[in-house]
Amino acid sequence: MSTVAPRSVRRRTLASLAVVGMAASVTVATQATSGAQPRQPDKTPVAVGSGGAVSSVDPEATAIGLDVLRRGGNAVDAAVATAAALGVTDPYSAGIGGGGFLVHYDAATGEVQTLDGRETAPEAMPRDAFIDPATGETYPFFPDMVTSGSAVGVPGTPATWEVALDEWGTYSLAEALRPATRLARRGFVVDETFRQQTLNNAERFSAIAPTAELFLPGGDAPEVGSVFRNRDLAHTYAKLGRLGADWFYDGPIAGDIAETVQHPPRSGRTDLPVPAGHMTEADLANYTVARPEPTRNDYRGYEVIGMAPPSSGGTTVGETLNILERFDLAGMNSDERLHHYLEASALAYADRARYSGDSHFVDVPVEELVSDEFAAERACELDPATAAAKPVAAGTADGDYDPSCGGTEGVVVDRPDTEGLSTTHLSVVDRWGNVASYTLTIEQTGGSGITVPGRGFLLNNELTDFSHVYDPEDPNRIEGGKRPRSSMSPTIVLSEGQPWLVLGSPGGSTIITTVIQTLMNRVDGGMDLPEALAAPRATQRNTVTVSAEPAFRDAHEGVLGGYGHEFSTSSEIGAATAIEVLSDGTLQAVAEPQRRGGGDAGVVRPAR
């Protein structure tokens, strides 16, 4: 695994006068509309056409990405511009106070590479960071633990944007951030989702003075239909674009971040403890973007490519699909197929708990976890007729396998799930066939709830993704400088070496099952992509009950209960965005029609 320091990136000059002209036209066009009164844009869940495509959770962000593509930018240019816009309109899920993972396909070389912009723990982070000294027990997860300086990891998003643009883009960071800067200044129309997310976090937002000032003006969440502006963020974006990631990690803002983490600006309006954190300016200055090799596995002739550790997405998606590949899912009815999906994912999650963590600190057997041989041995544990008692035991990913199902012994690793359900994902394909699959987050909805004073963005609570109680045998144990395990699963699927499907989702540890179920629906279930993405979801993460959406329970619980599956209800699981390259070469961009208020998909030239 290699790493790239954000400060060492080359300061690009534009390749030609034509590109300079293109950049200037972007500026003029944006300026022409920057004073326009914001309006609530319509959301389009499915779009088909050519010239490039973008799918995200927000129509303002999708429109910005499409405009970049329309004006000659490539997939990475559009991905960064879209992500920056989501930092404005979806600030409780993502932003420069967080991190993420990007998977990129280069059409010129056929190469797939990844960027790990995951947050890191401060070097001085103690093992008992989430233990209340007054009780000796862990803080309650919500709202106490997440609303904490101790929960904040060193952000990776600004460095990720700069490295991605330097490596694959044609835009400078300033050009990529310019549309979102103007969006932050102009404002966007508040919808019900934004208001409700604000209200759901009102107690902890009100505990932090700059957060309350920004997101609870007058003591209440912004009204639906009102215009929300974030001039502090506009100023921050403008300076980040002009001065680069150096300014964020080595400049005055690094001092602001460290001071805010060490001395959270409490308002005194609530009794939340808001413990101080341990981040220093040196932690920020030492941050690097990592470049792990992507995970790869074959599934029924398709090559599925994802993120390696500290993401557990690539290995767990890959292992589950490898187990499922040993069964004729296409020849089954939907309930039989879903039974196999639930059982296979439980087996893979057992292995995730045993092995997955930051591979700079623990030995993660990536090649074994995504190997067909390991999957064959694990598939022996899947009974086609009966659900296994949960939690199931983990396998032994050591290269010595018995695919004859002669019997294996495993270890039950039963650790609580500590990931929040927020995050966001965007998918981009450009006119040349370059692809970006990008998942980014500040973890909990609203992150830590701590806004950096005068800077307009929330800091993450990503360190609560570590196991909260230190166990030396746990690969996801707390350690200084370490990146917490993630479930983010940005995925690119190739068919005969060419991009076929781009996919990802928010949803904490349910991200993995959302990606798996969508792929299974599309490849094995006879569904087209819009059907595969919209279908009711369930997630089995090696827990006693299957968490399922109400529509899933209505349709399948009667039969699946006969297998021995027990169910609990989750109102919604994931919020995927995807793009498929259709057989005639046109692009089908797909977003959620309803989950999280629905997403927005668009193409540069819609089909007539």
Side-chain angles (χ1 to χ4, degrees), residues 149 257-264 266 275-281:
I257 293 170
E259 172 66 19
T260 301
V261 169
Q262 293 176 28
H263 303 96
R266 302 176 183 88
H278 306 86
M279 190 184 303
T280 66
E281 291 181 61

Side-chain angles (χ1 to χ4, degrees), residues 489-519:
S489 306
T491 302
I492 296 175
V493 182
L494 305 182
S495 176
E496 299 181 349
Q498 299 297 313
W500 173 60
L501 193 63
V502 193
L503 175 64
S505 176
S509 61
T510 71
I511 293 172
I512 294 167
T513 54
T514 295
V515 169
I516 295 165
Q517 191 176 353
T518 303
L519 287 173

Side-chain angles (χ1 to χ4, degrees), residues 55-399:
S55 181
S56 83
V57 299
D58 180 75
E60 296 268 21
T62 295
I64 281 175
L66 288 173
D67 194 54
V68 170
L69 295 179
R70 192 174 292 116
R71 296 174 181 277
N74 67 18
V76 162
D77 301 327
V80 173
T82 303
L86 290 170
V88 177
T89 60
D90 194 18
Y92 304 150
S93 296
I96 56 174
F101 298 97
L102 188 149
V103 182
H104 177 260
Y105 172 86
D106 189 323
T109 65
E111 187 175 14
V112 179
Q113 294 177 280
T114 70
L115 295 181
D116 164 13
R118 182 68 160 157
E119 302 88 341
T120 60
E123 288 292 341
M125 186 174 183
R127 296 175 177 179
D128 61 353
F130 301 126
I131 306 298
D132 185 346
T135 65
E137 303 292 330
T138 56
Y139 287 105
F141 182 76
F142 187 89
D144 300 54
M145 188 185 295
V146 298
T147 314
S148 163
S150 293
V152 182
V154 178
T157 293
T160 302
W161 291 352
E162 190 168 68
V163 170
L165 290 167
D166 182 74
E167 191 76 11
W168 305 301
T170 66
Y171 276 31
S172 68
L173 184 60
E175 290 160 348
L177 295 186
R178 192 168 292 132
T181 302
R182 290 184 173 130
L183 175 62
R185 190 175 296 121
R186 167 175 63 85
F188 65 93
V189 177
V190 172
D191 63 10
E192 182 57 42
T193 298
F194 185 85
R195 176 170 170 79
Q196 191 57 53
Q197 287 179 337
T198 309
L199 291 173
N200 291 346
N201 288 278
E203 177 189 5
R204 64 199 201 94
F205 283 5
S206 65
I208 307 297
T211 307
E213 181 181 358
L214 179 59
F215 296 111
L216 294 169
D220 189 19
E223 294 288 345
V224 174
S226 65
V227 176
F228 183 86
R229 296 180 176 88
N230 190 339
R231 294 185 176 89
D232 284 345
L233 182 60
H235 181 70
T236 299
Y237 273 179
K239 292 199 75 170
L240 177 62
R242 186 169 68 254
L243 301 177
D246 282 348
W247 173 72
F248 188 91
Y249 291 95
D250 285 326
I253 195 170
D256 292 349
I257 293 170
E259 172 66 19
T260 301
V261 169
Q262 293 176 28
H263 303 96
R266 302 176 183 88
S267 67
R269 298 173 190 166
T270 79
D271 58 2
L272 286 177
V274 196
H278 306 86
M279 190 184 303
T280 66
E281 291 181 61
D283 291 317
L284 285 144
N286 291 333
Y287 184 83
T288 58
V289 174
R291 300 286 298 271
E293 287 295 318
T295 62
R296 298 172 182 266
N297 68 285
D298 176 83
Y299 186 64
R300 307 196 195 280
Y302 296 102
E303 186 177 13
V304 181
I305 305 176
M307 279 302 311
S311 170
S312 61
T315 54
T316 312
V317 168
E319 181 185 346
T320 305
L321 293 175
N322 287 343
I323 294 171
L324 290 174
E325 193 172 26
R326 305 192 67 80
F327 301 92
D328 180 20
L329 299 188
M332 300 177 184
N333 65 41
S334 61
D335 291 303
E336 292 170 333
R337 187 164 52 248
L338 288 166
H339 165 70
H340 283 72
Y341 151 69
L342 295 172
E343 292 297 281
S345 59
L347 292 165
Y349 271 82
D351 299 325
R352 172 183 179 270
R354 181 175 183 180
Y355 294 110
S356 292
D358 183 346
S359 54
H360 284 105
F361 288 76
V362 297
D363 182 16
V364 184
V366 173
E367 291 186 7
E368 300 300 333
L369 290 171
V370 296
S371 70
D372 288 327
E373 293 78 13
F374 181 56
E377 184 174 88
R378 295 298 278 148
C380 293
E381 306 298 318
L382 197 161
D383 186 334
T386 304
K390 309 296 187 306
V392 299
T396 304
D398 60 358

Side-chain angles (χ1 to χ4, degrees), residues 430-465:
D430 67 27
R431 71 179 75 172
W432 301 282
N434 301 300
V435 176
S437 184
Y438 186 21
T439 311
L440 62 159
T441 185
I442 58 172
E443 212 273 344
Q444 189 73 22
T445 302
S448 65
I450 301 173
T451 299
V452 182
R455 302 299 189 178
F457 65 91
L458 288 156
L459 292 169
N460 68 85
N461 65 293
E462 215 65 58
L463 301 186
T464 60
D465 279 358

